[in-house]
Amino acid sequence: MSLTEKQLASLDRSAQRAVARRGDGDEKLGLFIRVAESGIYNGKPLYKALLKEIVFLRLHDLHEGDLRIPKGTPWSKDYRLYEGWCYASQEYLANRVGCVRESANRALKQIVMDGYLKPRKWRGKNGSWHKQYFPDEWAIDEKIAELSSEAS
């Protein structure tokens, strides 16, 4: 029995993840999976869910004229300034994790204070403030390593 191309690709991804989990190769699990499988914010499901959503919604592989870049922000003229940033609104993030905006706002402030997200804000044409978030992969990995060593 031979496998289809899609099945072979899936098998290859599974093998790469297994090697990355063992830690004996150059492969590294994606940040979303590392956060999801870590002890970061265990006991605080809203915090963990918001951090994972921001990691998931980051912009990657951008190019000149990319339609995913929001218009009218201070950084919209240079696509490189959006690489790795999440521009989802707090209301959108709250809806994705199943809470109200105010709860998401409080949790996001704490996640920023904990050093896992870097924020930037700007004022829109209507005068309202908007925030964007950049996951600090180094800080997240440091905490994951710390929590892993404590568990051992």
Side-chain angles (χ1 to χ4, degrees):
M1 176 173 122
S2 65
L3 299 174
T4 67
E5 190 173 318
K6 190 174 181 179
Q7 290 169 323
L8 286 172
S10 177
L11 187 60
D12 186 46
R13 284 190 308 274
S14 295
Q16 287 174 344
R17 283 192 296 272
V19 169
R21 278 191 178 91
R22 274 198 328 253
D24 56 357
D26 291 337
E27 291 291 324
K28 194 174 184 180
L29 291 170
L31 184 57
F32 180 87
I33 295 172
R34 293 195 316 265
V35 169
E37 294 182 352
S38 76
I40 289 179
Y41 293 129
N42 279 357
K44 295 185 176 182
L46 175 60
Y47 289 49
K48 188 168 201 147
L50 284 167
L51 182 57
K52 287 187 328 185
E53 283 301 314
I54 288 170
V55 167
F56 180 74
L57 294 170
R58 295 178 295 172
L59 291 175
H60 286 295
D61 302 324
L62 298 170
H63 55 81
E64 191 71 46
D66 199 311
L67 297 176
R68 295 174 291 167
I69 297 172
K71 307 292 183 245
T73 72
W75 313 281
S76 58
K77 298 219 186 314
D78 185 353
Y79 70 93
R80 295 169 295 194
L81 297 176
Y82 266 98
E83 189 68 34
W85 284 86
C86 171
Y87 68 87
S89 71
Q90 289 178 351
E91 185 173 359
Y92 181 79
L93 291 168
N95 287 334
R96 287 194 50 115
V97 300
C99 72
V100 295
R101 189 192 61 76
E102 293 79 8
S103 296
N105 185 29
R106 280 192 302 277
L108 288 167
K109 281 181 184 177
Q110 185 60 53
I111 297 169
V112 168
M113 285 177 39
D114 291 343
Y116 305 136
L117 296 176
K118 295 178 182 176
R120 64 182 180 190
K121 64 182 186 176
W122 58 281
R123 191 179 294 272
K125 290 181 181 179
N126 64 357
S128 63
W129 283 101
H130 304 274
K131 283 188 180 173
Q132 298 175 349
Y133 298 98
F134 186 88
D136 187 335
E137 195 164 344
W138 182 85
I140 293 169
D141 282 341
E142 284 291 308
K143 187 63 174 181
I144 290 171
E146 178 187 321
L147 292 169
S148 294
S149 68
E150 288 174 4
S152 303

